[in-house]
Amino acid sequence: MRNATDYGGFQGFQLNQQTHFELLQFADDTVMLYDGSLDNLWCVKAFLRGFKRIFGLRININKSKIYGINIGEDMLTTAANFLPCEIGRLPFLFLGLPVGANHRRKDTWKPVFKKLSRRLATWQGKHVSLGGKVTLLNSVLNNIPIYWLSFFKAPRVVWEV
């Protein structure tokens, strides 16, 4: 990917003159970012084939999706058929965070509230001392919203809940 980008064969997503992205990876999740050109589409196909040949691993096409932002439906359909994969819609989850969602809306934060209430519900029947409950609150419940808050600024309506 780096060589293809350096030699001009692949154009990633350019935010401004200094900032551009081609690839986001964590464990077995990969997100490739590029403009909607046919040249880039051929590069992505070559990347996937090369990965399969070099490592002997198969890309799970059933889990793979292509998303288009400011890309025409015709181009998106062509790309999905060419790779082949499904067309995904925004927002989608990457590492537990909604990509493409409006973080200013209260609905976007519902998964955080659900996760917190599920954790609290499992502890309700447990025989845990007050000190144990405080430790659980500090170590577990604080980290869930902190993870989201490290990426998104919470609106006032979320703080008031």
Side-chain angles (χ1 to χ4, degrees):
M1 171 81 64
R2 187 173 294 129
N3 286 343
T5 303
D6 291 344
Y7 296 116
F10 185 78
Q11 294 289 327
F13 177 75
Q14 190 155 355
L15 190 60
N16 58 36
Q17 199 68 12
Q18 295 85 20
T19 309
H20 57 89
F21 304 95
E22 293 85 26
L23 191 66
L24 300 173
Q25 288 186 303
F26 183 79
D28 63 348
D29 289 333
T30 300
V31 175
M32 289 186 208
L33 304 157
Y34 58 95
D35 66 5
S37 71
L38 288 174
D39 291 337
N40 277 341
L41 197 56
W42 276 102
C43 281
V44 168
K45 183 109 175 177
F47 292 148
L48 297 176
R49 281 188 177 163
F51 179 84
K52 183 178 179 179
R53 285 188 167 181
I54 291 169
F55 297 107
L57 299 172
R58 201 172 46 89
I59 306 293
N60 189 343
I61 296 298
N62 295 329
K63 288 184 174 180
S64 300
K65 291 186 176 40
I66 188 164
Y67 298 89
I69 300 171
N70 296 328
I71 303 288
E73 279 296 316
D74 293 342
M75 180 59 185
L76 198 56
T77 304
T78 301
N81 291 332
F82 181 70
L83 288 176
C85 60
E86 282 184 43
I87 296 174
R89 300 289 173 212
L90 295 176
F92 65 93
L93 290 179
F94 183 67
L95 303 178
L97 295 169
V99 176
N102 185 350
H103 67 275
R104 292 181 208 99
R105 298 188 67 208
K106 187 177 177 182
D107 290 348
T108 304
W109 292 83
K110 280 185 180 179
V112 176
F113 298 127
K114 281 183 184 177
K115 196 176 282 190
L116 290 170
S117 64
R118 262 189 274 127
R119 289 287 169 96
L120 284 171
T122 60
W123 298 341
Q124 195 171 12
K126 306 277 185 204
H127 300 289
V128 180
S129 68
L130 181 61
K133 287 179 183 177
V134 170
T135 302
L136 284 172
L137 286 170
N138 286 333
S139 65
V140 177
L141 292 185
N142 280 345
N143 291 330
I144 294 169
I146 287 172
Y147 178 63
W148 276 59
L149 290 169
S150 65
F151 291 94
F152 305 121
K153 182 179 177 182
R156 174 172 278 140
V157 73
V158 170
W159 289 111
E160 291 172 353
V161 173

